[in-house]
Amino acid sequence: MRYSEGRLLGDLALDRPGTVSLQQQIAQQIRSRVRDGRLPAGTRLPSSRTLASQLGVSRITIVGAFDELVSEGFLQSRHGDGTYVSQEWRQAFAPRSPEPRPHLSLRGSSVLSSRGFDLFRRAPTAWAPEHAESFLPSQVAIDTFPMSLWTRLLTRNAERREAEMFGYCDSHGYLPLREAIADYLNDARGIGCTAEQVVVCTGAQQAFNSLAMMLTDHADVVWLEDPGHIAARLAFETMGCEVRGVPVDDAGASLAGAERLHPRGRLTVLTPARQHPLGVTMSAARRAEWIEWATRERAWLIEDDCDSELRYRGSPLPTLFGMDRSQHVIHVGSFSKVMFPSLRVGYAVLPADLAEQFAATVSILGRSPATALQAATRDFIAEGHLHTHVRRMRSHYLARQEALVAELRRQLGSMVTVDEVSAGMHVVCWIPPHLDDQWVAAELARRGVHTYALSDYCVAQQLPPALLIGFGATRERRMPEAVARLAEALREVVAD
Amino acid sequence: MRYSEGRLLGDLALDRPGTVSLQQQIAQQIRSRVRDGRLPAGTRLPSSRTLASQLGVSRITIVGAFDELVSEGFLQSRHGDGTYVSQEWRQAFAPRSPEPRPHLSLRGSSVLSSRGFDLFRRAPTAWAPEHAESFLPSQVAIDTFPMSLWTRLLTRNAERREAEMFGYCDSHGYLPLREAIADYLNDARGIGCTAEQVVVCTGAQQAFNSLAMMLTDHADVVWLEDPGHIAARLAFETMGCEVRGVPVDDAGASLAGAERLHPRGRLTVLTPARQHPLGVTMSAARRAEWIEWATRERAWLIEDDCDSELRYRGSPLPTLFGMDRSQHVIHVGSFSKVMFPSLRVGYAVLPADLAEQFAATVSILGRSPATALQAATRDFIAEGHLHTHVRRMRSHYLARQEALVAELRRQLGSMVTVDEVSAGMHVVCWIPPHLDDQWVAAELARRGVHTYALSDYCVAQQLPPALLIGFGATRERRMPEAVARLAEALREVVAD
């Protein structure tokens, strides 16, 4: 195919004061015409001189654009004969066939694997609710975060030119951050660890996945609190473990209950600071029992210290990691809640001789977070801002909780039973016993009100129906209105 | 235990013009004394008035510090009787027993699981070499990255106050980034996708893990190139798959070879743009064969497009994703190499009806990268900087490769055989056939020279020994000296 010179491409639209160079603009438009078939394979392009004069640009610009497209394979240069659209693109960009593509279910014997299907069915649907103000227990008070301060810290670190800020980070994480985390945990939680025992990851979820990978084999029995962490259960089930539920009573996860029900677990995940999701604090006696069990059985205890900083009443008890003398405890935490979720920085504290293995596993799963973020987080902690922020959040959250509980009681009366919690960011709201809480939560979500169903957290336990209602993202003064929306939707659903 | 007022704590050291408030400094020092036993459980503290006058601070500061420590459980306030170190801390911070802790191997029947042990044994040891200038194939040219520009883009986005910059990101990734990736891929790689088909993750590695999770079950047969991607193999083996090797010849991964050797694979991972690690470009005919196979067998093709942008000679061929009409191809890519490794931003492009599942799986594995980073990456791509940078890198890398190959030939002569590659960031350097390349690489590493052994990439294939030598991180003018170090170390090792 031949076009007489100059007829082609004379209509390229150039944005002259644009941020993109003329050469790039020209290359880009030719590329896109090759792609969509407007310039078919074999087309001979105008000479650089002709095109330059037509477009009113220098010939060097055209030659540069052509060279670029030749090196990318879009064009071919035939010596002494000009420049052609490459033949290779004929097949690739033939117009798509007009008949409908095969439906997904026709494509694979089973399109997802059983594991994939199960995962997808159970992945919480509302990871990213559109409204910052929602009742999801995972929503934090973004409105109170010191954003200008944070921007300053991030900018300061983004401006750093050292190679370590750009290359692959130490697989254990950025050392100054690990030092700051060790200091913070020693100080606020009495952990008693060194920076060598701290490994940075992208959050508690990545930590669970890594631990499942490195500490369990297919079909190993794992004990998880029932009800308990959805993320932890997904991690261990995905790795092929047999998950068994540890009953939870007023003193926290019950070892006696688990031993009565199940064969020995290779490991247990516990939330002693604030049982997730019921909110119970594990008693000191129970803590000692579990540590004794892990030592005797040579099993692992994974301590998820979630919400330990957000405690409104009573004293925090020592951590399992701090109490343990036999090095069977791994302590997991995250800054997603005490700072903000999109940060994606968390950590594990491990017995010294496990840190290397954990870091290698995190590397395999996807490595630690971007170094500039780790450095800014380090400054936020080491300069005392985290401490100040957590203290301020404690009083914000306490006020929000009180407003939520008061409004629920006022607006819903005897329809629900709700107790204040001494820590964390959500209350458990028991609904009439004949209702299915998963159905209720789904119906509420359809009406724009986002909560979680308690039974989603259960392994085998049958509990009365309840909703987990987060108060983190809703200011006191907006609570009456927010609860009114919830109450209206709930009344509608119950009347159905 | 009682101390007369004022004897205690008068020696707290306060840093008055410090960045940390006096109240925090006081609370912190008391906390640390409780922890290390210098203030034993039951100790009565001086009154706030006494301590204030001793330290020369306002009484409000002391009351504030005490309140904080009471709310944290370090202190207890007994009405009318003053403030005491809480009893809870007695047990937790008893001095550690002086006898040595049990060794790791005494702690669990097997401390790591077999999976964990195997993973750890095989995880590449040098994720983070101390020297930016090394021969590791994964080292990129950080010295040529437009850092000031990048800082400007990151700062601009770090300053944004919208809730979406702080909350949990959309599980598919930040929409404007997905749009920019789709435009970029359509433009540069002829992919033909929409932003809805793009899901952001932290890199090719996280993509492999997610795909292994959602597309395979325990004991599924998976075909991987042999030699091939270590990260992909780890991902699928960790998920319990049976990995079988696809032989690689001059036209790329050989379907006929795989069919002759193995039962049908549920999926295959291919690197058509530049076979990893051998560097072959897959022929157009082979591409068509594989697509036909996936369609017929209802299997999945995962296309890792690594190094496609870094092509020095010849034309890139259309991608498998662009050629496929039956929606059996998933395309995986990362900005770690074309931008910088610590960025941790990558993506997968999927058939439209798989995107939701993939996003859910990434969420379970650890969610997408921090939103500010995604937004800055979006600007880098959409404003044309990525395009410019890749073009510049192509000529830098070509020059570095030429320098490396020339120096290897000049300094090592017939001891090695090395060919220039047409794409990517490393050459394959064949060493004398009687040597074990893993041993050679380990010995070189002991001498500070970092390379990878080819046999590390092999599934079952027996190949002659070779080292993968990266040229990305070493400037031309430093090449003679860098190769001299390598040559000296290699001569020493060979003489051993």
Side-chain angles (χ1 to χ4, degrees):
Chain A
M1 202 178 319
R2 269 183 175 254
Y3 290 76
S4 69
E5 289 209 347
R7 283 233 311 275
L8 210 58
L9 301 180
D11 60 337
L12 295 185
L14 302 182
D15 174 18
R16 271 158 216 274
T19 50
V20 177
S21 75
L22 287 173
Q23 176 177 321
Q24 266 192 49
Q25 292 183 46
I26 292 166
Q28 203 161 327
Q29 292 181 50
I30 295 178
R31 219 183 268 120
S32 109
R33 291 181 185 199
V34 173
R35 266 201 306 108
D36 65 16
R38 276 182 291 164
L39 283 175
T43 308
R44 183 173 189 272
L45 298 190
S47 75
S48 55
R49 185 173 295 115
T50 309
L51 193 54
S53 92
Q54 283 213 322
L55 295 174
V57 302
S58 97
R59 200 178 146 212
I60 292 174
T61 303
I62 304 291
V63 170
F66 280 11
D67 279 355
E68 196 178 324
L69 293 164
V70 166
S71 82
E72 291 167 357
F74 285 88
L75 303 182
Q76 279 176 328
S77 171
R78 300 190 195 153
H79 197 68
D81 185 33
T83 306
Y84 289 79
V85 175
S86 172
Q87 293 292 347
E88 296 289 2
W89 299 92
R90 184 195 299 279
Q91 143 98 18
F93 298 108
R96 307 246 167 189
S97 79
E99 72 251 38
R101 294 169 174 213
H103 184 268
L104 188 62
S105 58
L106 295 177
R107 271 188 282 149
S109 14
S110 70
V111 174
L112 298 183
S113 57
S114 330
R115 167 165 57 202
F117 183 75
D118 188 52
L119 270 180
F120 181 59
R121 194 176 53 75
R122 292 169 43 208
T125 44
W127 289 107
E130 285 126 49
H131 309 289
E133 188 181 292
S134 93
F135 288 121
L136 284 185
S138 54
Q139 293 289 103
V140 311
I142 290 163
D143 56 315
T144 59
F145 187 74
M147 291 190 187
S148 309
L149 167 69
W150 172 253
T151 302
R152 188 154 46 77
L153 301 183
L154 183 54
T155 305
R156 180 205 289 171
N157 284 290
E159 277 165 359
R160 293 169 57 190
R161 292 284 171 277
E162 302 99 295
E164 67 167 345
M165 303 304 288
F166 289 88
Y168 285 106
C169 185
D170 179 346
S171 63
H172 294 243
Y174 181 62
L175 180 60
L177 173 60
R178 287 154 51 210
E179 288 166 348
I181 292 174
D183 284 349
Y184 173 75
L185 292 177
N186 290 337
D187 200 34
R189 304 289 297 133
I191 287 277
C193 66
T194 65
E196 284 66 44
Q197 295 177 269
V198 176
V199 177
V200 178
C201 59
T202 64
Q205 206 152 22
Q206 196 187 44
F208 291 144
N209 282 296
S210 301
L211 292 169
M213 224 178 221
M214 70 185 251
L215 297 179
T216 71
D217 283 317
H218 193 75
D220 273 356
V221 173
V222 161
W223 290 358
L224 301 184
E225 293 176 333
D226 185 9
H229 249 300
I230 295 178
R233 184 145 54 102
L234 285 171
F236 287 98
E237 289 183 350
T238 302
M239 288 293 155
C241 296
E242 306 281 337
V243 168
R244 299 286 178 268
V246 179
V248 177
D249 62 24
D250 283 355
S254 162
L255 173 60
E259 286 186 315
R260 201 163 43 237
L261 290 168
H262 310 304
R264 168 184 175 281
R266 182 175 173 87
L267 61 77
T268 306
V269 179
L270 298 172
T271 51
R274 179 199 183 286
Q275 203 278 328
H276 187 72
L278 292 178
V280 183
T281 301
M282 187 182 284
S283 72
R286 277 284 166 80
R287 288 170 200 242
E289 261 177 57
W290 277 108
I291 287 176
E292 200 272 321
W293 170 82
T295 310
R296 187 181 69 233
E297 299 285 337
R298 298 180 171 178
W300 295 105
L301 287 185
I302 299 173
E303 172 175 46
D304 179 4
D305 202 34
C306 65
D307 297 338
S308 65
E309 295 98 336
L310 301 174
R311 166 161 294 281
Y312 316 115
R313 273 194 304 277
S315 309
L317 290 166
T319 57
L320 296 178
F321 193 96
M323 291 172 73
D324 171 47
R325 291 293 170 277
S326 68
Q327 302 180 82
H328 284 86
V329 179
I330 295 156
H331 184 89
V332 167
S334 163
F335 297 111
S336 295
K337 286 187 182 153
V338 290
M339 289 176 65
F340 58 92
S342 104
L343 178 63
R344 316 303 320 128
V345 177
Y347 54 85
V349 187
L350 303 112
D353 42 10
L354 268 191
E356 187 68 34
Q357 283 94 331
F358 183 80
T361 314
V362 168
S363 292
I364 289 165
L365 264 177
R367 298 169 188 265
S368 54
T371 314
L373 282 176
Q374 294 192 52
T377 306
R378 179 260 162 213
D379 291 350
F380 194 77
I381 300 169
E383 293 174 11
H385 308 303
L386 177 60
H387 204 84
T388 310
H389 179 59
V390 164
R391 240 175 340 119
R392 198 164 36 207
M393 293 317 295
R394 238 181 253 140
S395 67
H396 279 302
Y397 282 145
L398 181 58
R400 290 177 187 198
Q401 178 184 192
E402 283 170 356
L404 172 66
V405 171
E407 287 300 323
L408 286 173
R409 287 181 182 151
R410 190 175 68 78
Q411 297 192 36
L412 283 163
S414 62
M415 193 187 209
V416 300
T417 310
V418 52
D419 297 311
E420 290 189 16
V421 290
S422 54
M425 287 157 48
H426 70 259
V427 296
V428 180
C429 176
W430 305 94
I431 57 177
H434 65 281
L435 294 171
D436 172 336
D437 55 10
Q438 294 185 29
W439 177 80
V440 171
E443 287 295 311
L444 289 179
R446 283 210 311 129
R447 290 164 173 80
V449 175
H450 297 276
T451 62
Y452 288 149
L454 176 59
S455 60
D456 276 337
Y457 292 75
C458 292
V459 180
Q461 200 76 249
Q462 298 288 333
L463 292 174
L467 299 173
L468 307 187
I469 303 185
F471 48 78
T474 312
R475 285 177 233 197
E476 301 91 277
R477 60 181 171 76
R478 302 191 47 79
M479 203 59 90
E481 189 191 323
V483 172
R485 273 188 280 120
L486 169 86
E488 189 191 4
L490 187 60
R491 282 212 186 81
E492 256 181 65
V493 170
V494 171
D496 263 6
Chain B
M1 202 178 317
R2 270 182 174 253
Y3 290 76
S4 68
E5 290 209 347
R7 285 235 308 277
L8 210 57
L9 301 180
D11 60 338
L12 295 184
L14 301 182
D15 173 18
R16 272 161 216 272
T19 50
V20 176
S21 76
L22 288 173
Q23 176 177 321
Q24 268 194 47
Q25 292 184 46
I26 293 167
Q28 202 161 328
Q29 292 182 50
I30 295 178
R31 221 183 269 119
S32 110
R33 290 181 185 199
V34 172
R35 268 201 305 108
D36 65 14
R38 277 181 291 165
L39 283 176
T43 308
R44 183 172 189 273
L45 298 190
S47 76
S48 54
R49 185 172 296 114
T50 310
L51 194 54
S53 92
Q54 283 213 321
L55 295 174
V57 301
S58 100
R59 200 180 146 211
I60 292 175
T61 303
I62 304 291
V63 170
F66 280 12
D67 279 355
E68 196 178 323
L69 293 164
V70 166
S71 82
E72 291 168 357
F74 285 89
L75 303 181
Q76 278 175 327
S77 172
R78 300 189 195 153
H79 197 67
D81 185 32
T83 306
Y84 290 79
V85 175
S86 172
Q87 292 291 349
E88 296 289 2
W89 298 91
R90 184 194 299 280
Q91 142 100 15
F93 299 106
R96 308 246 166 189
S97 79
E99 72 251 36
R101 295 170 174 211
H103 185 269
L104 188 61
S105 59
L106 296 176
R107 272 188 281 148
S109 13
S110 70
V111 174
L112 299 182
S113 57
S114 330
R115 168 164 56 203
F117 183 75
D118 187 51
L119 270 180
F120 181 58
R121 193 176 52 75
R122 292 170 42 208
T125 44
W127 289 107
E130 285 126 50
H131 309 290
E133 187 181 293
S134 92
F135 287 122
L136 283 184
S138 54
Q139 291 290 103
V140 309
I142 291 164
D143 55 316
T144 59
F145 188 73
M147 292 190 185
S148 309
L149 167 70
W150 172 252
T151 302
R152 188 153 47 77
L153 300 183
L154 184 54
T155 305
R156 179 205 290 171
N157 284 289
E159 278 166 358
R160 292 169 57 189
R161 292 284 172 276
E162 301 100 294
E164 66 168 344
M165 303 305 289
F166 289 87
Y168 285 106
C169 186
D170 179 346
S171 63
H172 294 243
Y174 181 62
L175 180 60
L177 174 60
R178 287 155 50 212
E179 289 166 348
I181 292 174
D183 284 350
Y184 174 75
L185 292 177
N186 290 337
D187 200 35
R189 304 289 297 133
I191 286 277
C193 67
T194 65
E196 285 66 44
Q197 295 177 270
V198 176
V199 178
V200 178
C201 59
T202 64
Q205 206 152 22
Q206 196 187 45
F208 291 144
N209 282 294
S210 300
L211 292 169
M213 224 178 221
M214 71 185 249
L215 297 179
T216 71
D217 283 317
H218 193 75
D220 273 356
V221 173
V222 161
W223 290 358
L224 301 184
E225 293 175 335
D226 184 9
H229 248 302
I230 295 178
R233 184 145 53 104
L234 284 170
F236 287 97
E237 288 182 349
T238 302
M239 288 293 154
C241 296
E242 307 280 338
V243 169
R244 299 286 178 267
V246 179
V248 177
D249 61 24
D250 282 354
S254 162
L255 173 60
E259 286 187 316
R260 200 163 45 237
L261 289 168
H262 311 303
R264 170 185 175 279
R266 183 176 173 85
L267 62 75
T268 305
V269 179
L270 297 172
T271 51
R274 180 200 183 286
Q275 203 279 328
H276 186 71
L278 292 179
V280 183
T281 300
M282 188 182 285
S283 72
R286 276 283 165 82
R287 289 171 200 240
E289 260 178 59
W290 277 108
I291 287 176
E292 200 271 322
W293 170 81
T295 310
R296 186 180 70 233
E297 298 285 337
R298 299 182 170 178
W300 295 105
L301 287 185
I302 298 174
E303 172 175 46
D304 180 3
D305 202 34
C306 65
D307 296 339
S308 65
E309 294 99 337
L310 301 174
R311 167 162 292 282
Y312 315 115
R313 270 195 306 276
S315 309
L317 290 166
T319 57
L320 296 178
F321 193 96
M323 290 173 75
D324 171 47
R325 292 290 171 278
S326 67
Q327 303 181 80
H328 284 87
V329 179
I330 295 157
H331 184 89
V332 167
S334 163
F335 298 110
S336 296
K337 286 188 182 153
V338 289
M339 290 177 65
F340 58 92
S342 105
L343 178 63
R344 314 305 319 129
V345 176
Y347 54 84
V349 187
L350 305 113
D353 43 9
L354 269 190
E356 186 67 36
Q357 282 95 330
F358 183 79
T361 314
V362 168
S363 292
I364 289 165
L365 264 178
R367 298 170 189 268
S368 54
T371 314
L373 282 176
Q374 294 192 52
T377 306
R378 180 261 162 211
D379 292 351
F380 194 77
I381 300 169
E383 293 175 9
H385 309 303
L386 177 59
H387 203 85
T388 309
H389 180 59
V390 165
R391 237 171 347 116
R392 198 164 35 207
M393 293 317 295
R394 237 180 255 140
S395 66
H396 280 303
Y397 282 145
L398 181 58
R400 290 178 186 195
Q401 180 186 188
E402 284 170 355
L404 172 66
V405 171
E407 287 301 323
L408 285 173
R409 288 181 181 151
R410 190 176 68 80
Q411 297 192 35
L412 282 164
S414 63
M415 192 186 209
V416 300
T417 309
V418 52
D419 296 310
E420 289 190 18
V421 289
S422 54
M425 288 156 49
H426 70 260
V427 296
V428 181
C429 176
W430 306 93
I431 56 177
H434 65 280
L435 294 171
D436 172 336
D437 56 10
Q438 294 184 29
W439 176 79
V440 171
E443 287 295 311
L444 289 178
R446 282 209 314 128
R447 290 164 172 83
V449 176
H450 297 276
T451 62
Y452 287 149
L454 176 61
S455 60
D456 276 336
Y457 291 75
C458 291
V459 180
Q461 200 75 250
Q462 298 288 332
L463 293 174
L467 299 173
L468 306 187
I469 304 185
F471 48 77
T474 312
R475 285 178 233 196
E476 300 92 276
R477 60 181 170 76
R478 301 191 47 78
M479 204 58 91
E481 188 191 323
V483 172
R485 272 188 280 121
L486 170 90
E488 188 191 5
L490 187 60
R491 283 213 187 79
E492 256 182 65
V493 170
V494 171
D496 261 8

